[in-house]
Amino acid sequence: MSDSNLTDSLQTAMNDLFRRIAPAADELGKLFAERGHRLALVGGSVRDVFLGRIGNDLDLTTDARPERVLEIVRDWADSIWTIGIDFGTVGVRKGNWLLEITTYRSESYDPKSRKPEVVYGDTLEGDLERRDYAVNAMAVTLPEHEFVDPYGGLTDLAAKVLRTPGPPERSFDDDPLRMLRAARFASQLGFTVDAPVVEAMTAMADRIEIVSAERIRDELDKLICGAHPREGLALLVGTGLAAHVLPELPKLRLEIDEHHRHKDVYEHTLIVLEQAIDLEENGCDRVLRWAALLHDVGKPKTRRHEPGGRVSFHHHEVVGAQMAKKRLSELRFPKDVVADVARLVELHLRFHGYGTGEWTDSAVRRYVRDAGHLLDRLHKLTRADCTTRNKRKAQVLSRIYDQLEERIARLAEEEELAKLRPELDGNEIQEILGIPPGPAVGRAYKFLYDMRLDKGLIGKEAAAQALREWAAAREG
């Protein structure tokens, strides 16, 4: 992009920005100026202006210390929160705007500590220099609206490249998490990473060990929910960072697919992830994406060489579910996310037992029961897991799964499959068998539940008769 085009783009974006954020931002800028302080819109908020992604969350930076910021905004803001004040950040809501105001700062890690040490700075230029990438080191002063770009961030933005304001080694030594941010931005923005940055990431990959699991989780989760996760994941694997934060992924490069359909299971995994994304309906489904990424992680541990040159991975779905649960738990994901992803990994091969439709209605019911609330995601993961280059085979598999979904829909309509339960409840069991509440009722209920799965709806009278026969057989 030429300098004149950049200038035109800058002016258009700035005009659009200030049409939207005034008067809130300008009012705040004047408040700070009247009290002898500087204020500027900064970082991702400025970057996103040029990407056409202006939101209601704005990042600002100031020379005022946090306690002074609180004094200035106290009577102006609709609400204030101080959860990040130890790191120099005060949160403010004004109307529909959410503003985070952070004191000029630099932060670095002690080699033996997981927590960054925050040191306040005195100049806007110094604050911009300590930021992760040049595209995030642009600012607009308030209320003057002066554009500040000492490190060529606008040029990098036009070229779609990630470059650090200073030497990448210094940047990553200050905050190793910035290496993961490079991969996250590659995923979210589709940017390439400058060669010196990649070299520094490769050389310093082990520095990521000092960062807390929660911060690593947040970056990986944003990466997986980006528009281009393949690019971010490939960067993690290529630089060796994945070996420290998601070691199951690079290990897949060593395993050749049992049908020789792909160069390796790693490539197959990335294709499955992309195909799962194509099946999403309402934005990022992180449970589906993580399940797609981890669905084959059990293959390295279960790899066996068979006669005739074949390779098998028996029970890799069971082993993979355990590995997925362990990895996501160590990354401090919420328990429900861990459980759902692990369950999808465990079930992702179940469909292949369906063959060409040999399952009984009972087997279909059990498939639905085992999937539970994950049934729709299991449909998508199973379809995404078909990556054969043989178009005819892919079409056959797709048709067979269409038939399974049709059977599930038919059974659901006929039997309210989503509300699967015995036809007799606990009170009716007690009345029919003449027994009090207790374990015997639970055993009878399980018998009726299993019968419901096997035979479908048979009516209350038939269910009661079957219950009596079951009880009599146990007594005999």
Side-chain angles (χ1 to χ4, degrees):
M1 186 181 291
S2 67
D3 290 342
S4 61
N5 287 338
L6 274 177
T7 301
D8 291 343
S9 174
L10 169 63
Q11 191 60 53
T12 299
M14 288 294 104
N15 290 341
D16 185 35
L17 170 66
F18 289 108
R19 272 196 302 270
R20 290 202 56 195
I21 70 172
D26 284 347
E27 283 182 4
L28 191 58
K30 289 175 183 177
L31 280 178
F32 274 75
E34 289 168 359
R35 289 160 177 77
H37 294 288
R38 300 180 68 190
L39 185 70
L41 189 69
V42 73
S45 295
V46 178
R47 178 199 69 219
D48 287 348
V49 169
F50 300 105
L51 296 175
R53 307 191 316 180
I54 303 174
N56 290 330
D57 297 354
L58 300 177
D59 294 326
L60 301 113
T61 188
T62 179
D63 60 342
R65 297 300 191 254
E67 296 76 12
R68 180 64 169 154
V69 172
L70 286 173
E71 293 176 8
I72 294 172
V73 303
R74 182 172 291 118
D75 296 328
W76 178 82
D78 294 333
S79 60
I80 299 170
W81 60 95
T82 59
I83 192 170
I85 200 166
D86 289 343
F87 296 95
T89 299
V90 174
V92 170
R93 183 179 65 82
K94 182 69 171 180
N96 293 326
W97 295 100
L98 299 176
L99 316 173
E100 288 200 343
I101 308 167
T102 302
T103 303
Y104 297 158
R105 68 186 187 188
S106 60
E107 60 186 27
S108 61
Y109 278 81
D110 182 285
K112 298 181 181 180
S113 173
R114 288 183 176 271
K115 294 183 179 180
E117 177 185 358
V118 176
V119 179
Y120 295 131
D122 298 309
T123 67
L124 175 59
E125 291 72 17
D127 181 81
L128 295 178
E129 183 182 12
R130 69 95 189 165
R131 292 183 176 266
D132 51 7
Y133 296 101
V135 295
N136 294 327
M138 301 180 286
V140 179
T141 63
L142 299 172
E144 302 88 356
H145 300 180
E146 176 190 352
F147 180 60
V148 182
D149 182 21
Y151 301 104
L154 191 58
T155 300
D156 285 359
L157 200 62
K160 295 186 176 181
V161 65
L162 288 174
R163 185 177 51 84
T164 53
E169 293 82 3
R170 185 179 70 192
S171 180
F172 298 154
D173 196 52
D174 285 345
D175 185 354
L177 190 69
R178 292 171 176 173
M179 296 186 287
L180 285 191
R181 287 195 193 122
R184 189 241 292 183
F185 288 135
S187 172
Q188 288 181 326
L189 305 176
F191 284 16
T192 58
V193 181
D194 196 35
V197 175
V198 175
E199 292 170 5
M201 290 170 66
T202 305
M204 302 177 66
D206 61 345
R207 278 285 285 156
I208 200 66
E209 298 281 354
I210 203 68
V211 181
S212 70
E214 290 83 359
R215 297 184 79 206
I216 291 172
R217 173 203 62 209
D218 289 346
E219 291 300 324
L220 290 177
D221 202 40
K222 291 174 183 176
L223 186 162
I224 205 73
C225 276
H228 314 277
R230 172 188 281 268
E231 284 74 6
L233 293 168
L235 185 61
L236 291 183
V237 171
T239 58
L241 274 164
H244 298 276
V245 299
L246 202 61
E248 295 80 4
L249 189 59
K251 288 180 180 178
L252 295 177
R253 292 184 300 177
L254 305 177
E255 305 304 321
I256 307 301
D257 185 88
E258 65 266 38
H259 301 299
H260 307 288
R261 295 175 297 185
H262 313 282
K263 182 178 180 180
D264 53 32
V265 180
Y266 168 72
E267 176 63 22
H268 163 76
T269 294
L270 296 182
I271 294 173
V272 172
L273 173 59
E274 290 173 328
Q275 294 185 164
I277 292 171
D278 289 340
L279 296 174
E280 290 176 338
E281 298 166 2
N282 298 302
C284 174
D285 182 341
R286 59 178 26 86
V287 168
L288 176 63
R289 293 195 186 194
W290 277 106
L293 183 66
L294 300 175
H295 79 284
D296 272 349
V297 294
K299 282 190 170 181
K301 284 190 175 181
T302 58
R303 186 186 190 190
R304 298 290 183 272
H305 293 282
E306 306 289 353
R310 289 187 68 255
V311 177
S312 67
F313 302 96
H314 295 307
H315 306 301
H316 77 267
E317 72 280 11
V318 177
V319 173
Q322 296 168 349
M323 293 173 65
K325 183 177 182 180
K326 182 175 184 292
R327 175 56 51 205
L328 295 181
S329 295
E330 289 180 353
L331 287 170
R332 306 290 193 271
F333 273 88
K335 291 182 179 179
D336 60 332
V337 174
V338 175
D340 286 352
V341 171
R343 187 62 169 158
L344 284 171
V345 172
E346 182 181 3
L347 294 174
H348 82 272
L349 286 184
R350 182 73 66 84
F351 159 71
H352 295 285
Y354 187 69
T356 56
E358 295 90 348
W359 279 5
T360 63
D361 283 353
S362 174
V364 175
R365 292 187 193 100
R366 292 179 187 277
Y367 185 77
V368 173
R369 180 200 63 184
D370 291 346
H373 70 283
L374 298 170
L375 182 61
D376 184 60
R377 286 180 171 128
L378 183 58
H379 288 332
K380 293 172 182 175
L381 179 59
T382 301
R383 289 184 181 278
D385 196 25
C386 177
T387 60
T388 177
R389 295 190 181 100
N390 185 322
K391 291 184 178 180
R392 180 179 173 278
K393 185 174 183 180
Q395 290 171 350
V396 169
L397 287 171
S398 181
R399 281 198 302 271
I400 293 173
Y401 205 82
D402 287 342
Q403 293 168 8
L404 175 58
E405 288 200 56
E406 289 169 2
R407 287 184 66 186
I408 290 171
R410 175 175 56 78
L411 287 171
E413 184 176 352
E414 292 175 356
E415 306 179 5
E416 292 188 294
L417 199 56
K419 300 177 182 178
L420 206 59
R421 60 175 67 91
E423 294 181 77
L424 303 174
D425 62 23
N427 290 330
E428 291 169 318
I429 291 171
Q430 293 175 56
E431 182 178 347
I432 291 168
L433 298 183
I435 59 176
V441 177
R443 290 191 289 270
Y445 189 91
K446 184 179 185 304
F447 161 73
L448 291 170
Y449 184 79
D450 290 340
M451 185 175 70
R452 170 78 169 83
L453 289 174
D454 291 335
K455 297 182 179 181
L457 294 170
I458 62 175
K460 282 184 175 289
E461 289 186 11
Q465 181 59 34
L467 178 63
R468 294 187 189 97
E469 293 172 358
W470 171 83
R474 287 176 61 86
E475 290 174 0

